[in-house]
Amino acid sequence: MGYVLEARGLHKRFKQVVAVDGVDLTVAAGERVALLGPNGAGKTTTLLMLLGAVTPDEGSIEIDGHRLPRGRSRGMAEVGFVAGYLPLPDRLRVREALSIFGGFYGMRRAEAAVAIERNLDRFGVSHLADRMCMELSSGQRTLVGIVKAVLHQPRLLVLDEPTASLDPDVAFRVRSGLIEVCDTEGTALLVTSHNMTEVERLCERVVFIAKGRVVADGTPAEVVAHYGHDDLEAVFMHLAGTRLDQDDI
Amino acid sequence: MSWLRIRTVVRRHYLVLWRQPNRWFDIVVWPLFDVLLFGSLGAFVAQENGASRATAPYLLAGIMLFHVLFQCQIAVATGFMEETWSRNLLNIMTTPITEVEYAAGLALYAFVKLVMAMVAITIAALVFFGFDLTAVGWSLVPIVGSLLLVGWAIALVVIGMLLRFGQSAEILAWGLNFVLLALSGVFSPITALPGVVQPVASILPTTYSFRAMRTVLDGGDIPWNDITAGVAGALVACLLSYGFVVHMLHVFRRRGFVTRFS
């Protein structure tokens, strides 16, 4: 199977804390995968390693066949990243910021301008094009961040908590836009979220992490059946509860 | 290496500069008042003591060439700090831009800022004190070049410290310049410094560049020994600081410090 992302045996320790403990993670071309787990499970550390921003202690990462860290630049050319907690540069207008990121992804200004208009329209935020990034609300910032991430038609979209703190209607717009991007452009998706309903609507595969290890990997239905619960929400509560119990001990 | 990505870094920082009038303070206001301060000081000393007529050109040329180093250093360092202030570092790190491309973009942006600042202070020195730095001639080119390289080198050290110690290291962006201002014999030979710091001053490439400047101002032959020492020392400083920032980036990635800025 052709993987756009293939990570094997990832380990990461920060002093005495083992953040990631032997994670294997693959995302096939066009596949939509959710990386789930309670707070402190190791999701963000895993994502940061996959993006080349944190170096794993052990393990290997390949993005679209480019092995990190040597192939980071070519690998990142095929990745779009957005996190709900990350703003765009304050002192630029939305159109300018997007054009700058287009340039970082190797797009010429005219080419970027076309992609910017198309994607602002796709996510319903064309009216924000001339606003300063610092003036955006958190929801608008997320939508514009997603436009930034899809601008260069990446093969893999990595989203860290993209819809956290969004109104339901904006979250719906985000999901719809992402599904359209994935369906029309064949983009694979790796997303972290605490919204299980959203995950069930958006992703065809879920990977649960707890205490830095993958504890479940399959379709939402398979994972729910494995734990004998009714839905992903219950599985999440089960895993989070396990973690708390163990921490108490 | 992508020229497009390098140009994009320049464009990104140019837009920020354009939007923030306070950034023009570094380029125009400080240099202008430095010229006024040191020019008037030199003029006063020359009036009081006829034997000190060379003082004004020494002070003016010294402060103008110091601004070469200052502008390059501050533009690169604050360019990087802008990414930390706007929590944009992780966004940048997850694009294909390489460290070398990013540094090259900042260096180019610094060069553009330097040209703007030098135009402003050259005109100011000419109008207020009748001092024309360009009259020094072509020997100015390697002197300016060596100071430009040292400015970039210090900026890389500052960036390395920011990567390692976070925003508490920002003070170095301004502070290190003034260490060099004090120790490089910008306005006078380093023999005027206390004996205990002279050995430190003698290993700084900037010391040789400023000494070369004074020799040229005195109308002597072009001091190739000092110019060569200044340029060679600046190149070594650049290589060492590049190695330092690469090492700090390695530590930054290994210890997951990116979360400090996001």
Side-chain angles (χ1 to χ4, degrees):
Chain A
M1 183 178 284
Y3 294 124
V4 284
L5 169 69
E6 186 172 9
R8 300 288 178 195
L10 295 183
H11 283 264
K12 189 67 198 176
R13 173 192 286 270
F14 296 112
K15 294 185 178 169
Q16 302 307 313
V17 178
V18 178
V20 176
D21 189 12
V23 164
D24 291 326
L25 183 65
T26 57
V27 179
E31 190 180 25
R32 300 201 296 262
V33 180
L35 185 63
L36 307 176
N39 289 327
K43 303 186 299 292
T44 297
T45 302
T46 301
L47 284 193
L48 291 176
M49 287 193 288
L50 300 178
L51 293 164
V54 171
T55 309
D57 296 334
E58 289 175 39
S60 65
I61 299 166
E62 279 189 22
I63 296 188
D64 204 28
H66 304 293
R67 187 156 183 159
L68 271 50
R70 184 173 289 274
R72 193 198 67 82
S73 180
R74 275 172 292 171
M76 286 304 112
E78 302 300 336
V79 175
F81 170 66
V82 65
Y85 50 82
L86 265 191
L88 287 169
D90 288 349
R91 295 176 182 91
L92 301 182
R93 295 190 189 283
V94 166
R95 197 193 304 277
E96 290 167 348
L98 294 172
S99 175
I100 294 293
F101 279 98
F104 288 152
Y105 284 105
M107 302 171 80
R108 303 206 169 274
R109 283 168 81 167
E111 182 191 357
V114 172
I116 289 166
E117 297 309 323
R118 186 178 69 242
N119 286 293
L120 284 173
D121 185 53
R122 170 184 270 165
F123 286 92
V125 284
S126 295
H127 61 289
L128 301 178
D130 294 315
R131 292 266 290 275
M132 297 296 287
C133 289
M134 67 172 79
E135 295 170 356
L136 302 180
S137 69
S138 61
Q140 291 169 336
R141 208 169 60 198
T142 301
L143 286 164
V144 173
I146 291 172
V147 171
K148 179 212 80 168
V150 301
L151 211 57
H152 58 295
Q153 295 187 296
R155 296 203 65 211
L156 172 66
L157 261 179
V158 178
L159 302 102
D160 194 7
E161 305 282 355
T163 57
S165 76
L166 294 187
D167 292 337
D169 62 321
V170 181
F172 175 78
R173 206 190 308 166
V174 168
R175 275 197 304 275
S176 306
L178 288 174
I179 289 170
E180 188 196 325
V181 168
C182 292
D183 288 347
T184 58
E185 295 169 12
T187 307
L189 192 68
L190 178 64
V191 60
T192 71
S193 177
H194 286 100
N195 184 336
M196 297 301 116
T197 309
E198 173 180 277
V199 167
E200 285 177 318
R201 287 176 185 167
L202 192 59
C203 298
E204 55 213 24
R205 189 174 136 227
V206 295
V207 177
F208 263 102
I209 293 188
K211 285 188 164 290
R213 292 181 182 175
V214 173
V215 292
D217 185 347
T219 64
E222 285 169 352
V223 170
V224 166
H226 175 78
Y227 282 94
H229 288 292
D230 295 331
D231 54 26
L232 280 179
E233 188 89 34
V235 175
F236 187 94
M237 296 299 284
H238 170 91
L239 288 170
T242 302
R243 183 184 67 110
L244 288 174
D245 291 346
Q246 288 175 349
D247 286 350
D248 287 345
I249 295 167
Chain B
M1 182 109 86
S2 161
W3 173 235
L4 175 61
R5 290 198 286 258
I6 293 171
R7 270 189 303 151
T8 302
V9 174
V10 177
R11 188 156 64 95
R12 183 257 189 279
H13 290 286
Y14 167 78
L15 286 168
V16 173
L17 177 68
W18 192 246
R19 290 275 152 66
Q20 284 194 289
N22 58 310
R23 292 291 173 85
W24 288 86
F25 207 85
D26 284 342
I27 303 175
V28 178
V29 182
W30 272 9
L32 204 62
F33 280 91
D34 272 346
V35 165
L36 279 177
L37 174 66
F38 288 94
S40 56
L41 191 62
F44 172 72
V45 173
Q47 279 167 14
E48 292 295 301
N49 181 356
S52 303
R53 279 196 303 273
T55 305
Y58 275 10
L59 291 179
L60 277 169
I63 197 64
M64 290 169 83
L65 289 185
F66 174 72
H67 267 283
V68 172
L69 185 152
F70 175 82
Q71 294 295 337
C72 285
Q73 192 281 129
I74 213 75
V76 173
T78 56
F80 177 78
M81 285 192 285
E82 176 63 33
E83 309 296 5
T84 68
W85 293 330
S86 57
R87 296 197 292 142
N88 195 39
L89 205 53
L90 184 54
N91 277 330
I92 301 270
M93 288 182 78
T94 54
T95 70
I97 194 165
T98 64
E99 292 82 359
V100 173
E101 288 164 351
Y102 188 75
L106 281 181
L108 189 56
Y109 164 70
F111 185 75
V112 173
K113 269 183 82 174
L114 169 67
V115 170
M116 291 192 280
M118 289 311 286
V119 167
I121 60 178
T122 301
I123 291 171
L126 197 59
V127 170
F128 295 139
F129 301 103
F131 176 73
D132 183 7
L133 185 65
T134 60
V136 169
W138 288 107
S139 57
L140 200 60
V141 173
I143 296 174
V144 167
S146 68
L147 294 171
L148 191 135
L149 289 174
V150 173
W152 287 338
I154 300 169
L156 290 180
V157 171
V158 171
I159 290 173
M161 298 296 271
L162 283 163
L163 289 170
R164 176 63 185 81
F165 297 106
Q167 291 179 325
S168 57
E170 281 181 8
I171 186 67
L172 294 174
W174 286 271
L176 284 180
N177 284 322
F178 294 100
V179 172
L180 283 187
L181 179 66
L183 294 182
S184 301
V186 174
F187 306 115
S188 57
I190 59 169
T191 49
L193 288 168
V196 68
V197 293
Q198 285 182 23
V200 179
S202 66
I203 60 169
L204 297 174
T206 43
T207 296
Y208 299 93
S209 301
F210 286 109
R211 189 162 74 189
M213 172 206 75
R214 280 192 299 276
T215 305
V216 174
L217 281 176
D218 285 340
D221 292 337
I222 295 175
W224 288 113
N225 283 351
D226 281 343
I227 288 176
T228 305
V231 171
L235 286 170
V236 170
C238 273
L239 285 175
L240 289 175
S241 58
Y242 182 74
F244 175 73
V245 82
V246 166
H247 176 67
M248 286 298 120
L249 192 59
H250 176 70
V251 172
F252 180 84
R253 285 199 164 109
R254 189 159 44 81
R255 298 202 185 178
F257 286 160
V258 71
T259 51
R260 285 175 174 172
F261 299 106
S262 54

